[in-house]
Amino acid sequence: MEYSIQVKGRLLDLAQPQVMGILNATPDSFFAGSRCQTEQDVAQRTRQMISEGAAMIDVGACSTRPGSEPVSEAEEMERLRRALSVIRSEQPDAVVSVDTFRPDVARMAVEEYGADIINDVRPGKAMFRMVSRLRVPYIIMSSQPTMRQILLTFAEQVQQLRDLGQKDIILDPGFGFGKTLEQNYDVLRDLTQLHALELPILVGVSRKSMIYKLLDTTPAEALNGTTVLNTMALQKGASILRVHDVRAAAECIALTEKV
């Protein structure tokens, strides 16, 4: 699908799928390889992801893994400020997405550090008003368990955002959120139905439990399964792959596009 979003005053073409690399400024995200606790860690991972082909860096400072307790808003902001300062110093032109469900955290990231995209796992009207005011692309995630419910909820939320003047909206069906293992695979099977809303789709299955629980392994052993599901998602029209392993995803895109 030929989509594009407005980033940094220019169009980011999504006709060819793009990779969003994950950088977690947290001590407790479920995959240890994405955790960056020091400025050196953040700088090294930023350089690595850009060199391996990431078009976007998604920075999170409050873990949303199952069973986790959110840190305070002040702590989330402090972690983000440290990470974003390093990222902007290392890669000033990088497209930076901030993973947060808090409107004031989104405002800080955009106004103080020029964050380009807000990635929200708990969408609501307060965040809708904030991103519409900030004029940045918005990734909206669904915790609904079935594709029918995802479509109905997204249709209502997209209309609310449009009414507020929001231009660029990206849909994330929310693999691993509010879904059983079987429901995750049902949603992936039916992913093409999301194209009815005529918006780009982000898929984030990287090393998640829908892979390692099915295969009876661990997140550390889930790269091969991630690549298989990413390939399926691309074949169903995904525009963005949100991943821990940028090089593998970039190669997956290159090979899928060639076929």
Side-chain angles (χ1 to χ4, degrees):
M1 304 296 289
E2 296 192 2
Y3 299 115
S4 62
I5 57 174
Q6 186 85 9
V7 177
K8 296 181 182 295
R10 60 181 176 82
L11 288 178
L12 177 61
D13 187 7
L14 300 178
Q16 176 170 323
Q18 302 294 324
V19 179
M20 173 182 280
I22 300 169
L23 189 158
N24 286 316
T26 58
D28 56 346
S29 295
F30 79 92
F31 179 56
S34 67
R35 302 174 197 159
C36 296
Q37 292 296 287
T38 69
E39 291 185 0
Q40 184 177 0
D41 289 341
V42 173
Q44 190 278 330
R45 182 151 178 81
T46 299
R47 291 193 296 267
Q48 177 189 9
M49 290 193 293
I50 294 297
S51 69
E52 290 181 351
M56 293 161 264
I57 298 173
D58 191 48
V59 187
C62 178
S63 177
T64 54
R65 65 178 173 80
S68 65
E69 286 293 325
V71 297
S72 69
E73 186 170 298
E75 175 65 16
E76 184 182 5
M77 284 189 180
E78 183 179 347
R79 291 175 177 179
L80 274 174
R81 285 187 171 107
R82 288 197 298 265
L84 291 171
S85 294
V86 175
I87 293 167
R88 285 305 187 207
S89 175
E90 284 289 327
Q91 297 285 338
D93 297 325
V95 176
V96 176
S97 166
V98 169
D99 185 349
T100 185
F101 56 87
R102 291 168 167 148
D104 285 339
V105 175
R107 178 190 52 76
M108 178 278 293
V110 174
E111 293 182 352
E112 294 184 20
Y113 294 94
D116 305 291
I117 300 169
I118 297 300
N119 182 11
D120 182 9
V121 301
R122 298 181 188 174
K125 292 181 179 179
M127 184 65 93
F128 293 176
R129 290 191 294 270
M130 180 60 74
V131 294
S132 299
R133 181 170 72 81
L134 294 171
R135 304 284 185 189
V136 293
Y138 179 51
I139 301 168
I140 183 170
M141 195 202 78
S142 178
S143 295
Q144 297 295 327
T146 68
M147 182 55 76
R148 180 178 182 277
Q149 291 168 291
I150 291 170
L151 278 166
L152 289 172
T153 304
F154 272 159
E156 181 180 351
Q157 292 172 328
V158 167
Q159 188 57 57
Q160 291 172 3
L161 286 160
R162 295 294 193 214
D163 290 343
L164 290 166
Q166 179 66 20
K167 302 293 186 185
D168 292 310
I169 304 167
I170 299 163
L171 305 177
D172 177 356
F175 292 102
F177 288 82
K179 301 168 183 63
T180 66
L181 189 147
E182 292 299 328
Q183 287 169 336
N184 279 304
Y185 284 97
D186 288 344
V187 169
L188 180 59
R189 181 196 66 213
D190 296 335
L191 193 67
T192 55
Q193 293 182 27
L194 274 182
H195 293 300
L197 297 176
E198 298 183 340
L199 291 169
I201 299 168
L202 178 148
V203 167
V205 296
S206 184
R207 296 183 181 269
K208 286 188 174 178
S209 63
M210 64 183 287
I211 298 169
Y212 65 79
K213 286 184 178 179
L214 182 68
L215 300 177
D216 193 24
T217 56
T218 66
E221 300 169 289
L223 176 55
N224 185 58
T226 297
T227 301
V228 171
L229 296 193
N230 278 339
T231 302
M232 294 178 181
L234 291 169
Q235 291 170 338
K236 292 176 181 290
S239 294
I240 300 171
L241 299 179
R242 181 180 181 272
V243 299
H244 300 92
D245 308 277
V246 170
R247 184 182 300 280
E251 291 176 350
C252 182
I253 289 171
L255 293 169
T256 303
E257 289 288 288
K258 183 64 175 177
V259 172

